[in-house]
Amino acid sequence: MEQIIEFPDVLELVEQHKLPKEIYAPDRTLLFLPYEPTIKSPLIANRKKWKLFANYSLTNDYEVVQINTTGQLIRIKEDPDIDEMMGYVRKEHPGATVEEVISFALESTVEQTGEFKDDDEFGAYALTLYLMLAYLIHYGVLILVKD
């Protein structure tokens, strides 16, 4: 059986302060700088220009996807935010900008749970979504296309 790579629990990485200083796409494009001001992260700075496409196929195991370009298997434990972003890019809007994907996830969360209590909670949640998206790109699940 082929080796299965475990997709990290991003919230756990944040809580344990185990994020890397830099997160890169497979093509070595710098995506995210978790410990710098958010606007310095290229994924955020280019959120209106960069587009996303799905690069995975579903397998018989609902937690495991196969990366189309490499054949690698990735286990992504169930997470509603990650599932939503992956599904949006794959089924609803291939070629969506980073901003469109994040906005979709934020709107969906508000619909399901109600408004955020304040701007700090909103900002922390949005930042977590950007981190999750950076990891989806890093692992090749989503392909980033720069304009």
Side-chain angles (χ1 to χ4, degrees):
M1 171 130 184
E2 196 172 343
Q3 179 187 4
I4 299 175
I5 293 174
E6 298 291 328
F7 190 85
D9 180 331
V10 176
L11 288 176
E12 188 176 295
L13 292 176
V14 170
E15 289 168 1
Q16 295 177 358
H17 305 286
K18 291 188 175 178
L19 289 168
K21 290 183 184 201
E22 300 171 332
I23 301 170
Y24 289 91
D27 69 358
R28 302 299 299 153
T29 297
L30 178 62
L31 298 172
F32 208 83
L33 299 162
Y35 301 105
E36 297 291 329
T38 54
I39 198 63
K40 287 189 175 186
S41 291
L43 194 61
I44 294 173
N46 295 293
R47 68 189 179 278
K48 294 181 181 185
K49 295 187 267 183
W50 288 359
K51 299 182 184 308
L52 297 164
F53 293 90
N55 184 38
Y56 67 93
S57 300
L58 302 174
T59 66
N60 292 335
D61 180 343
Y62 76 96
E63 285 190 344
V64 177
V65 297
Q66 184 169 27
I67 304 304
N68 294 339
T69 52
T70 65
Q72 182 63 56
L73 298 173
I74 310 279
R75 181 182 320 281
I76 304 173
K77 294 197 170 70
E78 191 171 345
D79 180 291
D81 294 319
I82 289 174
D83 293 346
E84 214 158 51
M85 290 189 288
M86 288 172 59
Y88 182 73
V89 171
R90 183 168 189 225
K91 297 176 190 170
E92 295 182 43
H93 194 165
T97 64
V98 169
E99 182 175 62
E100 289 168 333
V101 174
I102 297 296
S103 293
F104 173 79
L106 287 167
E107 289 169 15
S108 179
T109 298
V110 168
E111 284 177 17
Q112 295 169 21
T113 63
E115 293 291 326
F116 292 96
K117 68 179 179 184
D118 57 31
D119 288 345
D120 289 341
E121 184 183 50
F122 174 84
Y125 188 70
L127 193 59
T128 301
L129 291 175
Y130 275 105
L131 270 170
M132 290 175 173
L133 195 57
Y135 271 100
L136 286 169
I137 298 164
H138 172 77
Y139 280 86
V141 177
L142 299 178
I143 291 177
L144 179 73
V145 177
K146 300 176 275 187
D147 277 351

